[in-house]
Amino acid sequence: MSAIIEELRLKNFEGYKRGTVKFTNGLNLITGRNSTGKSTLLNALLFTLYGQIPGVHKKLLVSRLPGVGEMVVYVRFKNPVSGAMIEISRNGCLDKKRGYKTTKLTLLKNGREVEVESDEDLRRKVTEYMSVSLKKFTNLVYVRQGALQDILQPDKKDMDLILRLTVVRELREQMDKVRRVFEKYEGKHVQTKLDALKNLVIPQLQKNLEDLEEDVKDRQRKLQKLKEQIEKAKSPELSNLLEHVKKRDGLEEELRRESKNLQDALSEAELKSQDEIPKLIEKTQGKHEKLMTQRDKLQKETKKLNEEWGSHRGKAQHLQDEIERHEELLKAGITRCPTCGQDLNEETLQGILEKKKKNLQNVKHDEELLKKAYNEKNKNLQKLEDTIRTCANKMEGFKNLRKRLQTLMTKRGEIENKIQECNKLIETGLKFLDLPFEVEDPELKVKVAQRFLLDPEKLEDAKKEYENINKKIEEKTSEKNKKKEDLRKDKKEMVELEKRLEAAELARQLTERLEAAIKTRRSDMLKKIEVRALSYYERMTDQHDYDSIMINPETYVVSVHPKGLVEHIPATRDGGGHQTILALAVRLALLETLRFRSLLILDEPTYGVDSKNIPQIAEYLGETARLLAQTILVTHHDICEEEASNIIEVEKDEKGVSFVKTKF
């Protein structure tokens, strides 16, 4: 196997002004006294490769020696897979603020420069060419001072990284994170939000939308009805209909008046029907004729009595006149009648006067009787005349009533004909306006008025209501469209949430599978490492004290099963020498399992080991070096020189400057 690291150059790096180290196959031994700068070479190698040293600030790498300038480090190595020659150089210095500043980065592959954009870009490319990342390099390939046995009780995350489980674990963690991300939406659990959308939000939105649609439809119906009412209220057909209804109502009112007049006339005549009038006229006329006959008779009787009364009245007057003359004669003493010439004595004259007075008395008595009879007859005649006049008037009244009733009946017939004409026109109007009313409905005008807006004020109110409803429809339509959009978004969100749940479930399943894969891969790899570690252990020592080596898959703690014991014990409880062999065996097993047997760097692996045990440890280290392509071992003890193919000595001059010299 070809060497990995071929050459290291450094200038103004920590305690070095300049230095060049060439490495070979096999064991490269870096020796020197304590604090001469041996570990500095490893730091320079690590910094040149990856651009950083864990736990060390870059500015501390620049030499503090007087008169130094720009720091330059250079490494040349071969790709362990392709064999390509890779050269890296880094230039840097301290800026004005005493902070580290990279001034130049160079990367060559087989002598050709490769473009490098940044420290991170160079680190990525080196990781590719070295086939190992910085983390793996510092935890597996490069064993720092005092950390050799850390592999027996390592950091779990570091071991996951070494076993290449980190990517899978990170993927699992990312998948689990993805699951958690998918299970959360706007700070809420997706399932909770999805249930709320399915069971509450969307059904409520749908119900609200249905209510809004029904509300809009209802308002549109009202709007259409109002529109029709407004249009019909302005239509000539409605005006004509109302005019005909009004005219008919007027005619019906007139008909009622005429009918009342007719009824009043009959009532005045104490008649129930006009059919009684001809009979009454005939009866009254017969009575009138009888009365006229009675009058004629009574007139004659009255005339006769009047004549007789006049005659007696004349006689009485004559007798009175004669008596008055005779009394004058008697008073005058005249004895001869001036009229007849008869001689009259007083006695004779007196006898004549007595006789005439008695006769006058009788005449007046008869006159009085005749007067009384006359007056009685005349009174009866007057009464009869009154009765005749009453009868005549009554008969004339009946005739006039008959004439009047005939006139009323004629007029009522005319009115009824006009009403029929109006009804025909009303019926035509109702049909045209599609109104379901009866023509002769007494409430027709009211019903039409209720159906249509006839009052100008109500019509204006209807127009305002029309505008308000139309505006409300626009508002409700806008609200409905917003609800539709909300529903669309919620449904879309529901679909998205369902997808998120599906994705979360898939992520959960993948997480479980990845976790299972991690466990399976870890278990498989650890079994191989356990077997190989035991094999390496047995190759490095003839003390076969263990039946098996076991690595806990959860903690990576190494334990061994000593022969004769019932159970395993932690490797850290074994003796120091055995711990070193076990640490080397496990590390070699790891390198072999990971197919990186090209390089191992050990910095003071005998740190803390008792001086009596150093020769034995050196023997283990020598055996380890033979199993790898290249081993770089830093020590201040004189060990492994016989196994070394290259010895690099590090010293310091009198000024404290470290320098390198190759022993062979």
Side-chain angles (χ1 to χ4, degrees):
M1 293 180 288
S2 299
I4 294 297
I5 308 299
E6 293 192 349
E7 185 176 348
L8 169 68
R9 300 176 196 166
L10 60 165
K11 175 185 176 182
N12 298 327
F13 187 88
E14 292 190 18
Y16 289 87
K17 283 189 175 182
R18 289 183 180 276
T20 300
V21 181
K22 294 185 180 296
F23 296 96
T24 63
N25 292 344
L27 177 60
N28 291 267
L29 193 63
I30 300 177
T31 64
R33 301 184 67 179
N34 288 333
S35 301
T36 55
K38 301 185 296 297
S39 296
T40 301
L41 295 178
L42 300 183
N43 286 341
L45 176 62
L46 181 59
F47 179 75
T48 308
L49 289 173
Y50 295 103
Q52 67 182 72
I53 300 172
V56 179
H57 199 284
K58 291 181 182 181
K59 67 181 181 180
L60 300 178
L61 302 178
V62 180
S63 178
R64 298 300 196 273
L65 295 171
V68 300
E70 184 181 46
M71 181 189 78
V72 180
V73 287
Y74 166 89
V75 168
R76 185 178 74 245
F77 67 90
K78 279 187 179 181
N79 184 292
V81 178
S82 66
M85 185 63 67
I86 308 300
E87 297 174 73
I88 305 167
S89 64
R90 295 177 184 270
N91 296 35
C93 64
L94 297 177
D95 58 19
K96 293 180 180 180
K97 295 182 179 180
R98 307 300 291 173
Y100 181 79
K101 179 178 71 173
T102 299
T103 56
K104 185 178 180 181
L105 298 173
T106 305
L107 174 63
L108 301 177
K109 181 179 179 182
N110 294 327
R112 293 185 178 182
E113 187 170 353
V114 178
E115 182 180 356
V116 176
E117 296 180 355
S118 62
D119 278 328
E120 185 60 33
D121 183 39
L122 179 57
R123 187 179 302 114
R124 284 196 300 268
K125 287 180 169 61
V126 170
T127 297
E128 178 185 350
Y129 297 148
M130 282 288 292
S131 298
V132 64
S133 65
L134 170 63
K135 195 74 172 176
K136 285 185 180 180
F137 190 87
T138 55
N139 281 282
L140 181 62
V141 177
Y142 179 16
V143 183
R144 290 181 171 277
Q145 181 175 314
L148 177 63
Q149 295 176 9
D150 289 351
I151 197 69
L152 300 178
Q153 197 171 354
D155 182 81
K156 188 174 186 298
K157 291 183 180 179
D158 291 342
M159 282 301 294
D160 281 343
L161 178 67
I162 291 171
L163 295 178
R164 299 174 184 172
L165 297 176
T166 303
V167 174
V168 182
R169 179 173 291 282
E170 287 176 355
L171 182 59
R172 185 199 69 78
E173 290 174 354
Q174 289 173 1
M175 276 297 171
D176 195 50
K177 185 177 180 181
V178 166
R179 176 188 62 79
R180 291 193 298 272
V181 169
F182 277 126
E183 286 179 347
K184 291 286 185 180
Y185 185 78
E186 296 180 351
K188 296 181 179 179
H189 197 275
V190 169
Q191 186 64 57
T192 302
K193 189 170 181 63
L194 183 59
D195 290 342
L197 282 173
K198 281 184 175 180
N199 302 323
L200 294 175
V201 178
I202 290 179
Q204 186 61 45
L205 267 177
Q206 289 174 332
K207 178 66 169 58
N208 291 345
L209 191 57
E210 289 172 1
D211 292 343
L212 277 172
E213 288 177 345
E214 186 59 34
D215 187 27
V216 169
K217 288 179 181 178
D218 184 56
R219 291 176 187 274
Q220 286 174 338
R221 286 192 290 268
K222 290 180 180 178
L223 191 67
Q224 184 61 30
K225 186 176 179 181
L226 268 176
K227 184 178 179 182
E228 291 174 358
Q229 287 180 330
I230 292 171
E231 289 176 352
K232 288 183 178 179
K234 297 177 180 179
S235 68
E237 291 79 12
L238 180 60
S239 298
N240 292 337
L241 173 64
L242 293 172
E243 188 64 32
H244 296 323
V245 173
K246 181 179 179 182
K247 184 177 179 181
R248 186 192 66 180
D249 290 347
L251 289 170
E252 287 179 342
E253 180 62 28
E254 186 178 357
L255 181 61
R256 284 191 290 273
R257 286 199 304 270
E258 294 301 327
S259 297
K260 186 177 183 302
N261 292 336
L262 179 61
Q263 188 62 42
D264 289 345
L266 290 172
S267 297
E268 287 176 5
E270 297 181 351
L271 299 176
K272 295 181 179 179
S273 171
Q274 60 183 354
D275 296 336
E276 299 177 22
I277 295 175
K279 294 179 181 180
L280 288 172
I281 291 174
E282 183 180 355
K283 182 179 178 181
T284 306
Q285 190 172 4
K287 184 179 179 181
H288 183 267
E289 290 174 354
K290 288 180 181 180
L291 289 172
M292 289 298 290
T293 300
Q294 291 177 5
R295 187 190 69 174
D296 291 342
K297 182 181 178 181
L298 189 58
Q299 279 179 342
K300 290 177 181 181
E301 291 175 352
T302 303
K303 184 178 180 183
K304 183 180 179 181
L305 285 172
N306 187 40
E307 288 176 353
E308 289 178 355
W309 176 45
S311 175
H312 280 72
R313 189 173 59 247
K315 287 179 180 182
Q317 184 65 41
H318 180 69
L319 286 172
Q320 182 67 36
D321 290 340
E322 286 182 353
I323 290 169
E324 288 178 356
R325 283 193 306 269
H326 282 88
E327 284 179 346
E328 287 178 357
L329 290 176
L330 180 59
K331 185 177 181 182
I334 298 174
T335 60
R336 184 178 291 281
C337 179
T339 303
C340 64
Q342 181 181 356
D343 290 328
L344 299 170
N345 59 24
E346 184 178 351
E347 185 178 353
T348 301
L349 187 59
Q350 191 69 32
I352 291 170
L353 282 172
E354 287 296 329
K355 183 179 180 181
K356 282 192 182 285
K357 285 183 179 181
K358 187 175 182 180
N359 191 22
L360 177 61
Q361 186 176 0
N362 290 333
V363 170
K364 282 189 176 183
H365 178 265
D366 290 338
E367 180 193 357
E368 190 63 31
L369 291 175
L370 286 171
K371 180 182 178 182
K372 186 175 181 181
Y374 171 77
N375 287 334
E376 186 68 26
K377 284 287 183 181
N378 192 52
K379 184 177 180 181
N380 290 336
L381 179 62
Q382 291 301 319
K383 287 183 179 179
L384 183 59
E385 287 288 350
D386 290 340
T387 303
I388 289 170
R389 280 194 298 274
T390 301
C391 185
N393 290 336
K394 192 172 184 181
M395 183 175 63
E396 187 63 28
F398 284 141
K399 288 180 180 179
N400 290 335
L401 178 60
R402 179 175 64 183
K403 186 177 179 180
R404 181 184 174 193
L405 291 176
Q406 287 174 346
T407 302
L408 289 173
M409 290 298 293
T410 301
K411 188 173 182 180
R412 193 171 74 168
E414 291 173 354
I415 293 172
E416 287 175 344
N417 290 334
K418 290 180 180 179
I419 289 174
Q420 289 301 319
E421 291 175 2
C422 284
N423 283 340
K424 290 179 180 179
L425 294 173
I426 290 170
E427 183 178 9
T428 302
L430 290 174
K431 287 181 179 179
F432 182 84
L433 295 171
D434 194 25
L435 295 173
F437 303 138
E438 295 294 332
V439 174
E440 297 181 0
D441 189 340
E443 301 294 326
L444 181 60
K445 186 175 181 180
V446 175
K447 290 181 178 178
V448 171
Q450 289 175 345
R451 178 65 66 90
F452 299 108
L453 304 165
L454 305 178
D455 188 350
E457 186 176 345
K458 289 183 178 179
L459 181 60
E460 189 62 30
D461 291 341
K463 289 179 180 178
K464 290 181 181 179
E465 185 181 1
Y466 180 90
E467 293 175 359
N468 291 335
I469 292 176
N470 199 35
K471 184 177 179 182
K472 203 67 178 178
I473 287 175
E474 291 177 358
E475 293 175 358
K476 292 292 182 180
T477 301
S478 176
E479 185 180 354
K480 182 181 73 173
N481 292 334
K482 185 178 180 300
K483 293 288 185 185
K484 280 185 176 180
E485 181 61 19
D486 291 342
L487 182 60
R488 185 191 67 78
K489 288 181 179 179
D490 285 340
K491 285 184 176 180
K492 183 179 178 181
E493 185 179 36
M494 184 178 71
V495 172
E496 178 63 26
L497 291 177
E498 287 174 342
K499 289 181 179 179
R500 290 178 76 91
L501 278 184
E502 290 175 2
E505 177 59 21
L506 180 60
R508 185 190 64 76
Q509 293 176 6
L510 288 174
T511 300
E512 291 177 353
R513 291 177 184 177
L514 287 170
E515 185 63 32
I518 291 172
K519 290 181 179 180
T520 300
R521 178 173 174 78
R522 183 189 292 119
S523 178
D524 292 343
M525 292 186 72
L526 290 181
K527 286 179 181 179
K528 292 179 182 179
I529 293 169
E530 289 168 353
V531 172
R532 288 171 178 168
L534 182 61
S535 175
Y536 279 121
Y537 175 80
E538 291 177 346
R539 288 170 63 181
M540 284 189 288
T541 179
D542 57 359
Q543 298 179 9
H544 299 170
D545 298 329
Y546 307 122
D547 288 331
S548 63
I549 296 175
M550 185 180 74
I551 303 175
N552 188 307
E554 299 299 327
T555 62
Y556 291 106
V557 172
V558 178
S559 60
V560 294
H561 184 251
K563 294 179 180 180
L565 295 184
V566 177
E567 56 186 20
H568 286 73
I569 62 171
T572 53
R573 289 179 55 191
D574 209 341
H578 282 180
Q579 286 187 37
T580 301
I581 299 173
L582 286 170
L584 291 170
V586 170
R587 195 172 294 274
L588 289 172
L590 278 168
L591 290 171
E592 181 180 357
T593 302
L594 298 174
R595 298 179 181 179
F596 194 85
R597 296 179 59 193
S598 303
L599 177 64
L600 177 62
I601 301 174
L602 300 171
D603 187 4
E604 296 288 358
T606 58
Y607 176 79
V609 177
D610 188 273
S611 59
K612 293 181 180 180
N613 294 322
I614 288 178
Q616 185 179 7
I617 298 300
E619 184 180 345
Y620 300 153
L621 294 173
E623 181 62 30
T624 300
R626 286 191 288 272
L627 298 173
L628 299 172
Q630 185 180 50
T631 302
I632 299 175
L633 174 62
V634 173
T635 181
H636 63 277
H637 296 291
D638 296 329
I639 59 173
C640 299
E641 291 186 357
E642 294 181 1
E643 290 82 1
S645 59
N646 182 29
I647 299 178
I648 299 102
E649 292 184 349
V650 177
E651 297 180 4
K652 277 189 177 181
D653 61 17
E654 64 279 3
K655 294 182 180 181
V657 178
S658 298
F659 63 92
V660 177
K661 64 179 182 177
T662 303
K663 191 173 182 180
F664 59 85

